[in-house]
Amino acid sequence: MSLRLGDIAPNFVAETTEGKIDFHEYLGDGWGVLFSHPADYTPVCTTELGAVAKLKSEFDKRNVKVLALSVDGLADHKEWIKDINETQHTIVNFPLIADEDRKVAELYDMIHPNASEKATVRSVFVIGNDKKIKLIITYPASTGRNFDELLRVIDSLQLTAYHSVATPANWKNGEDVVIVPSIKDEDIPAKFPKGHTKIKPYLRTTPQPNI
């Protein structure tokens, strides 16, 4: 059965490059990103893990822990990390799961047989601090992920989790947001003291409330 938004992210215990990890314990009271890559020693994956390592401080600011996965073994992971560090001019600073028995990959439906019978696709799961799945994105093996976009989405998810707003197309942190339709016009001034603009009865914008 495939996972859906709002489902509790399945817990697991796995060997990683930073030791054995219980996933829910690893996340603690923070958010998480679990992402898979097709295989070690592959070009696109090398650039992706390097990109995430360079953005680690940005994930930390958002209280997000990242965790990568492939179905290769721990020894390959550790040797491959040396290549990533060398070629991407960074230091891999997050755990890589060694999922040789595919338990985690199958738990999260990361293997799509019509794409590849053995390798995982480029799955991304964002998990909230309530351990529920907030975002699922799947990329083909041939397309590297945009991790700046992932940070943008996390900003939106965290903002909308605590405020009665939604983010419009191409929104970036700091820009105006949309007031959700369930908020009545007469309640807006108290909830959004920065002011608002009524474009249509169903389309009302306000400055981002958490900055």
Side-chain angles (χ1 to χ4, degrees), residues 132-207:
K132 291 183 179 180
I133 297 171
K134 306 298 183 183
L135 175 78
I136 302 172
I137 309 176
T138 302
Y139 293 73
S142 58
T143 303
R145 285 161 282 206
N146 185 331
F147 290 97
D148 289 323
E149 165 64 4
L150 189 58
L151 288 170
R152 187 192 76 88
V153 174
I154 290 169
D155 285 338
S156 173
L157 290 168
Q158 293 184 339
L159 169 66
T160 58
Y162 301 110
H163 298 276
S164 301
V165 297
T167 55
N170 300 323
W171 173 86
K172 293 179 182 177
N173 193 37
E175 296 178 350
D176 286 359
V177 295
V178 175
I179 300 169
V180 297
S182 60
I183 303 298
K184 297 178 180 179
D185 284 349
E186 57 267 31
D187 296 331
I188 289 177
K191 290 186 71 71
F192 301 101
K194 293 180 180 180
H196 75 285
T197 301
K198 186 174 182 178
I199 302 166
K200 290 285 185 181
Y202 59 86
L203 179 55
R204 302 159 302 172
T205 62
T206 187

Side-chain angles (χ1 to χ4, degrees), residues 35-38 44 48 121-124 139 143-147:
F35 67 105
S36 59
H37 55 271
V44 176
E48 286 191 323
V121 291
R122 297 188 193 282
S123 298
V124 183
Y139 293 73
T143 303
R145 285 161 282 206
N146 185 331
F147 290 97

Side-chain angles (χ1 to χ4, degrees), residues 8-209:
I8 295 293
N11 194 28
F12 57 82
V13 176
E15 292 293 341
T16 81
T17 51
E18 296 185 7
K20 185 174 286 189
I21 282 179
D22 178 294
F23 186 47
H24 283 188
E25 287 183 7
Y26 174 71
L27 295 181
D29 59 0
W31 289 58
V33 171
L34 174 64
F35 67 105
S36 59
H37 55 271
D40 293 357
Y41 300 108
T42 52
V44 176
C45 301
T46 299
T47 64
E48 286 191 323
L49 268 68
V52 173
K54 291 174 183 176
L55 289 171
K56 177 69 160 46
S57 63
E58 293 297 322
F59 287 106
D60 289 344
K61 286 178 189 176
R62 295 160 173 82
N63 195 25
V64 176
K65 291 184 176 179
V66 294
L67 190 59
L69 172 147
S70 85
V71 295
D72 295 297
L74 203 55
D76 281 338
H77 279 359
K78 290 181 176 179
E79 287 301 311
W80 181 40
I81 283 174
K82 296 176 184 177
D83 286 356
I84 298 168
N85 293 343
E86 175 192 349
T87 62
Q88 304 306 301
H89 311 292
T90 189
I91 299 294
V92 172
N93 43 18
F94 54 89
L96 276 66
I97 297 171
D99 191 35
E100 288 184 282
D101 57 9
R102 304 188 195 179
K103 283 185 178 179
V104 181
E106 290 175 0
L107 193 61
Y108 279 81
D109 197 25
M110 293 172 169
I111 296 176
H112 296 193
N114 289 333
S116 171
E117 292 184 359
K118 296 181 179 180
T120 55
V121 291
R122 297 188 193 282
S123 298
V124 183
F125 294 85
V126 175
I127 295 107
N129 56 1
D130 56 2
K131 303 296 185 292
K132 291 183 179 180
I133 297 171
K134 306 298 183 183
L135 175 78
I136 302 172
I137 309 176
T138 302
Y139 293 73
S142 58
T143 303
R145 285 161 282 206
N146 185 331
F147 290 97
D148 289 323
E149 165 64 4
L150 189 58
L151 288 170
R152 187 192 76 88
V153 174
I154 290 169
D155 285 338
S156 173
L157 290 168
Q158 293 184 339
L159 169 66
T160 58
Y162 301 110
H163 298 276
S164 301
V165 297
T167 55
N170 300 323
W171 173 86
K172 293 179 182 177
N173 193 37
E175 296 178 350
D176 286 359
V177 295
V178 175
I179 300 169
V180 297
S182 60
I183 303 298
K184 297 178 180 179
D185 284 349
E186 57 267 31
D187 296 331
I188 289 177
K191 290 186 71 71
F192 301 101
K194 293 180 180 180
H196 75 285
T197 301
K198 186 174 182 178
I199 302 166
K200 290 285 185 181
Y202 59 86
L203 179 55
R204 302 159 302 172
T205 62
T206 187
Q208 185 172 325

